[in-house]
Structures are given as structure tokens and as C-alpha cells.
């Protein structure tokens, strides 16, 4: 079984014209990151429709995709994406689960209402969160309140994490790794998933990593060599790692586009870099256990 725990999807209006969608909603950060074209002329990511995503999943034999929200600058854009994801999951509960977008700049009561609403719609968590990208301190009271409610309601959280030791890309925001340790320690009952291998958070004090911290592999081929798999297995263990791609981000910009099977290359590469005894955990069992999807 293969669960991709980190997939993004957008409504038709965004797919049709990402730049116009961003401008109309005053979302310049998303525009920078998602609508960018590389120096070689390739778009950094595709914009598949819901049906296009399902076809890509079929081709790559992905049984279930967990849709991750974006860290929008406006609470209204978060709500719009959450309604869209709720409809996607309602139409395809056998193939899709969702995490909700969140911006805690909205009044506290509305944030709590939104979190309860997505829980009632069957969402598995909140994410991909990036308070740092939204200009919100990780210690902000409203933000901490939202995390406490997520923990109370059994919602996991997925955080966008960057690695300051890697070359920067346009729009990258620094995410101090100590902030995630502090959050995990403040909410020991909260399932915390750090995207993009958690920026190799294990490097500082690996034996003191809070037990509720988990990592996903999103965008790995863009960020790290394949040695990251054995390093992470050694330092955090296979039960802490969830396979995630970051689809529809183009993970292999220097290789010819994978026509017809855009999701297939990374799972195959991950399989080759995981020992047989770790594969079931990383590809599905950890997600099933932690997220009850
Ligand atoms: Zn991310």
C-alpha cells in the first residue's frame, strides 16, 4: 500500500491562471513559490485538476493522497481551500484525505470555528502550516491556542520546514528548528509532522528529539541526495518517517518530464533507498497509525 502524505491541489480558478488567482487574493508569497518558472524555462510545479491528480495517482499506484493546505497570507484564502478540499474528500473518500490551511490572524473565535469545522468534515490535521511564512511568531498566543485545540480534537499538524544549510530558493523563509522542538514539547499529545525531512532537525541533539515529532520526505529529490534516507533511518528510525512527495512540485527539473506518470519516479526511488523492513512503515503504516486515514 502506498500513501502519499504530502500533496497539494488547487481549485480550477487557481489552475487556470495561478498569477491572477494570487493577485486577486493578495497572495504574493504563494505566487512567488508556486507560479515560478525556473531559469531553464520549466515551471516549478504543475496545476493538475482533481481528476488529473487521481489519474496520476493511478499511474503511480498511489492508493491515497493526503492533501496539504497552503500557508496562505489571508484567512479567507485558507477557508476557500478548506472548502475545496472538503468537497474533494467528499467525492473521493477512498482516495483522498486532507489537512486544513490555517492563518491565525483571524479573530480567535473564527479560528476555533474553522478548526472545529474541518474536524467535523473529516480532515486528518492542520497543514501545511508555516507561521514563519505568515509573519506569525511560533510562540504567538493565538497560534499556540490553535495548536492546543488541534491536540484536543485529535488533529495532527504538518509544518513547512526549511534547511538553512541548503542553497536558498526564491521565496524561502527561515524556520528555526528550535521552534518545532518547543512546539512538540509544549503539546506532547499533538502529532507533529515536519515536512521536508524536518530540515534534518535530528542533527542537533538527535537523542533528545521529542517523541511526538515525525518527518515527511516531501520534495526530497530537490533538496537532498539519496543518502538522506539512510541518515534519517539511522537517526530517527523508520517509525517516524512518512512518505510524501510534494506533488505537483516538479521534483526532477533536470530530467525529461515524466509524461503520463508524474508521481511515479519518487516512490520508486524511495523504495530503492529504504530497506525492505522499513518500507511498509514509511509508505503506509505510519500514516495509518498516526492519522487514522
Ligand atoms: Zn513545504
Amino acid at each position: 500500500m502506498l500513501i502519499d502524505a504530502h500533496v497539494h491541489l488547487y481549485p480550477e480558478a487557481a489552475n487556470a491562471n495561478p498569477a491572477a488567482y494570487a493577485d486577486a487574493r493578495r497572495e504574493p508569497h504563494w505566487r512567488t513559490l508556486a507560479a515560478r518558472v525556473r531559469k531553464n524555462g520549466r515551471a516549478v510545479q504543475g496545476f493538475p485538476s482533481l481528476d488529473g491528480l487521481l489519474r496520476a495517482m493511478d499511474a503511480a499506484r498511489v492508493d491515497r493522497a493526503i492533501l496539504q493546505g497552503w500557508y496562505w497570507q489571508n484567512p479567507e484564502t485558507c477557508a476557500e481551500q478548506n472548502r475545496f478540499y472538503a468537497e474533494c474528500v467528499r467525492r473521493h473518500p477512498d482516495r483522498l484525505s486532507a489537512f486544513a490551511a490555517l492563518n491565525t490572524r483571524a479573530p480567535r473565535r473564527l479560528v476555533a470555528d474553522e478548526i472545529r469545522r474541518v474536524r467535523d468534515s473529516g480532515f486528518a490535521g492542520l497543514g501545511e502550516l508555516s507561521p514563519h511564512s505568515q509573519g506569525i511568531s511560533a510562540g504567538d498566543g493565538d497560534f499556540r491556542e490553535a495548536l492546543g485545540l488541534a491536540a484536543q480534537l485529535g488533529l495532527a499538524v504538518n509544518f513547512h520546514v526549511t534547511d538553512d544549510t541548503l542553497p536558498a530558493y526564491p521565496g524561502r523563509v527561515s524556520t528555526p528548528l528550535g521552534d518545532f522542538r518547543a512546539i512538540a514539547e509544549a503539546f506532547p499529545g499533538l502529532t507533529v509532522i515536519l515536512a521536508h525531512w524536518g530540515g534534518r532537525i535530528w542533527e542537533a541533539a538527535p537523542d533528545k528529539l521529542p517523541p511526538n515529532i515525525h518527518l515527511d520526505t516531501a520534495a526530497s529529490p530537490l533538496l537532498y541526495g539519496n543518502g538522506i534516507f539512510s541518515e534519517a533511518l539511522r537517526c530517527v528510525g523508520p517509525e517516524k518517517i512518512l512518505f510524501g512527495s510534494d506533488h505537483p512540485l516538479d521534483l526532477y527539473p533536470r530530467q525529461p518530464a515524466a509524461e503520463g506518470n508524474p508521481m511515479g519516479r519518487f516512490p520508486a526511488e524511495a523504495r530503492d533507498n529504504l530497506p525492505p523492513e522499513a518500507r511498509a512503515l514509511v509508505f503506509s503504516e505510519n500514516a495509518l497509525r498516526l492519522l487514522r486515514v
Side-chain angles (χ1 to χ4, degrees):
M1 189 182 188
L2 178 54
I3 297 176
D4 187 331
H6 195 130
V7 170
H8 294 281
L9 189 69
Y10 298 100
E12 229 20 78
N15 297 336
N17 189 337
Y21 184 87
D23 292 346
R25 288 159 183 78
R26 301 183 317 284
E27 297 286 352
H29 190 60
W30 180 78
R31 181 180 169 147
T32 300
L33 283 162
R36 185 163 67 89
V37 173
R38 291 183 190 281
K39 285 192 207 98
N40 67 4
R42 285 259 289 269
V44 294
Q45 71 161 77
F47 285 92
S49 64
L50 171 57
D51 286 344
L53 171 63
L54 292 168
R55 281 195 300 276
M57 290 168 62
D58 289 342
R61 298 174 188 250
V62 173
D63 297 287
R64 177 175 294 278
I66 301 179
L67 303 174
Q68 293 288 341
W70 187 262
Y71 30 94
W72 302 105
Q73 288 166 266
N74 300 284
E76 298 78 15
T77 325
C78 294
E80 181 181 358
Q81 185 169 43
N82 294 343
R83 299 296 87 74
F84 170 64
Y85 276 2
E87 177 61 16
C88 292
V89 171
R90 194 190 63 75
R91 283 170 61 186
H92 300 283
D94 54 329
R95 305 298 301 281
L96 301 173
S97 304
F99 275 43
L102 188 74
N103 186 316
T104 55
R105 281 199 200 287
R108 196 176 271 202
R109 182 181 53 79
L110 296 184
V111 170
D113 286 351
E114 183 71 8
I115 293 171
R116 289 206 169 81
R117 190 176 301 121
V118 298
R119 193 275 312 263
D120 293 345
S121 304
F123 282 53
L126 307 179
E128 182 178 3
L129 303 182
S130 185
H132 303 94
S133 303
Q134 293 169 324
I136 296 168
S137 149
D140 174 85
D142 291 339
F143 181 67
R144 291 296 180 107
E145 180 97 357
L147 294 180
L149 182 57
Q152 188 190 319
L153 297 176
L155 292 165
V157 292
N158 181 302
F159 284 105
H160 173 69
V161 181
T162 59
D163 183 341
D164 286 338
T165 69
L166 297 177
Y169 52 83
R172 188 175 79 177
V173 170
S174 190
T175 64
L177 301 184
D179 286 353
F180 303 113
R181 286 180 183 262
I183 286 168
E185 282 163 0
F187 301 97
L190 183 66
T191 296
V192 176
I193 302 167
L194 303 183
H196 318 300
W197 293 110
R200 298 180 66 251
I201 191 170
W202 57 77
E203 190 153 55
D207 46 334
K208 294 203 190 75
L209 206 59
N212 51 330
I213 282 189
H214 305 77
L215 313 174
D216 82 27
T217 64
S220 185
L222 279 178
L223 302 170
Y224 300 104
N226 278 329
I228 193 79
F229 282 89
S230 55
E231 183 185 334
L233 287 167
R234 195 172 62 245
C235 296
V236 304
E239 66 289 339
K240 300 284 184 184
I241 302 169
L242 288 80
F243 175 79
S245 64
D246 223 349
H247 181 80
L249 192 65
D250 180 8
L251 302 180
Y252 299 95
R254 286 181 201 86
Q255 296 187 34
E259 296 297 339
N261 189 8
M263 286 180 98
R265 206 179 267 163
F266 184 39
E269 191 174 287
R271 192 175 304 274
D272 288 345
N273 285 282
L274 288 166
E277 66 275 14
R279 288 176 192 160
L281 285 166
V282 173
F283 283 134
S284 63
E285 287 172 6
N286 293 335
L288 292 169
R289 183 183 77 249
L290 293 166
L291 308 177
R292 298 180 293 277
V293 291

